[in-house]
Amino acid sequence: MRSKLFVPGARPELFAKAWAGEADAVSFDLEDSVPAEGKAEARVQVAAFLRAQQSRDLRRTVIVRTNALDTPHFEPDVLAIAGSSVDLINLPKIERVEDVLAAVRVLERVEAVHALTRPLRLLVNIETPQALRFAAGLARAHPRVAGLQLGLGDLFEPLGIDRYDTANVHATMLAVRMAAGEAGVFACDGAFTNVRDLAAFRAEAAMARRLGYIGKSCIHPSQVPLANEVFRASAEELAEAQRVVAAARMAEAQGRAAFVLDGRMIDTPFVRRAEAIIAGASGAGMGEQDTHS
């Protein structure tokens, strides 16, 4: 999931264009981009579009950002989209483990109503100070949590923190990535709102990749190719990963768990990283950690 394109739920004229684009994931938004009076109509439009795609070859991850758990819209959102082609429910404004568990109970009720056999999974937003403080607990609150998504706008703006100071961004990215790592789930970077500054978008995406994020959120189609490029393993990276994996197999056959390759000591963590690069390059889903439960 190198790129995740947000699509406003109140703009059905954009759905097909986003679906046909280059993004690895399309995230239909029922929350911030939809005014209160348009919530019901947006969920109907999104649900109808997704059901219409079910018979088609799906080569992307499908995400729906619902309204917050403490609003009257959350359960109707889930009811509307359950049974469609949705892979992940993106949960906004989550702060406590109890919030995650409450959301899971709603999912279980809805799945029972629809007789669903494939459980809906959760992408939990980290966008408040409390959520950041308890991020690892949120990530491991339930096996349905597939990953964490960073939301810097909601996190920084109310506190007067400079969103474009790279030191601030790096510190927060690292904290969320470590929390996700502790729980064994993926971390996805949030949006960069200045759609005209593609160079800054690329730089922030590159920072996220160096920190082990699987991809970046995009709010405009022009950002998607950049995210795909930044999070795509280069030919050199792929070749090096293949060499590491091949050498690891030879070492294993010789009864060795660690070995030296080109003067570097290689053991299990390095081999796992190489395997993840190879899996990502072959298009293996949303990333090596996404299937962790």
Side-chain angles (χ1 to χ4, degrees):
M1 193 166 67
R2 303 163 302 173
S3 55
K4 180 175 69 62
L5 179 62
F6 277 110
V7 184
R11 299 285 305 279
E13 72 276 11
L14 300 179
F15 294 177
K17 182 178 180 181
W19 192 265
E22 301 176 7
D24 288 349
V26 179
S27 182
F28 296 88
D29 180 36
L30 298 176
E31 192 209 12
D32 285 347
S33 68
V34 181
E37 63 275 13
K39 298 287 189 185
E41 178 63 20
R43 78 170 62 98
V44 169
Q45 295 276 10
V46 169
F49 179 82
L50 292 179
R51 286 193 170 82
Q53 312 310 312
Q54 284 183 285
S55 61
R56 303 186 182 184
D57 179 26
L58 300 181
R59 289 176 291 178
R60 62 185 49 76
T61 301
V62 181
I63 303 170
V64 173
R65 182 167 73 173
T66 64
N67 288 280
L69 182 68
D70 61 355
T71 71
H73 305 292
F74 176 69
E75 188 158 353
D77 287 347
V78 178
L79 272 167
I81 62 176
S84 67
S85 52
V86 176
D87 297 300
L88 292 170
I89 300 292
N90 183 201
L91 283 180
K93 310 301 187 292
I94 293 294
E95 294 190 318
R96 305 173 304 157
V97 168
E98 292 79 4
D99 297 336
V100 176
L101 299 179
V104 168
R105 288 194 292 271
V106 172
L107 298 187
E108 290 172 343
R109 288 200 302 270
V110 169
E111 288 164 354
V113 169
H114 286 274
L116 301 181
T117 57
R118 184 171 70 107
L120 291 165
R121 303 197 72 195
L122 299 173
L123 174 59
V124 175
N125 282 5
I126 303 300
E127 53 189 347
T128 70
Q130 184 170 324
L132 182 61
R133 182 156 55 101
F134 296 123
L138 297 176
R140 61 172 184 262
H142 194 276
R144 287 182 188 252
V145 177
L148 301 179
Q149 178 175 286
L150 182 57
L152 288 177
D154 285 289
L155 181 60
F156 282 2
E157 291 301 322
L159 303 176
I161 298 173
D162 186 348
R163 165 67 181 80
Y164 298 100
D165 185 319
T166 55
N168 298 340
V169 175
H170 185 279
T172 310
M173 277 188 183
L174 179 60
V176 171
R177 180 65 185 96
M178 296 302 283
E182 180 179 334
V185 303
F186 69 80
C188 181
D189 193 18
F192 188 86
T193 57
N194 187 344
V195 298
R196 294 183 178 180
D197 196 343
L198 296 180
F201 175 90
R202 182 195 292 272
E204 188 166 284
M207 183 193 303
R209 186 181 183 225
R210 291 193 299 272
L211 288 170
Y213 281 68
I214 65 166
K216 186 165 181 60
S217 301
C218 305
I219 59 171
H220 191 275
S222 64
Q223 296 175 332
V224 170
L226 296 178
N228 287 345
E229 177 187 338
V230 168
F231 286 93
R232 180 185 298 118
S234 67
E236 293 77 13
E237 288 173 312
L238 181 57
E240 175 66 12
Q242 291 169 334
R243 291 181 65 242
V244 168
V245 170
R249 289 172 180 164
M250 290 182 60
E252 184 180 8
Q254 297 167 0
R256 293 183 290 124
F259 56 94
V260 175
L261 180 66
D262 298 334
R264 292 186 301 142
M265 177 64 72
I266 305 293
D267 57 9
T268 301
F270 296 92
V271 176
R272 286 180 178 170
R273 173 60 178 156
E275 291 171 341
I277 291 172
I278 294 169
S282 65
M286 294 180 289
E288 154 261 351
Q289 295 183 40
D290 292 26
T291 57
H292 184 97
S293 60

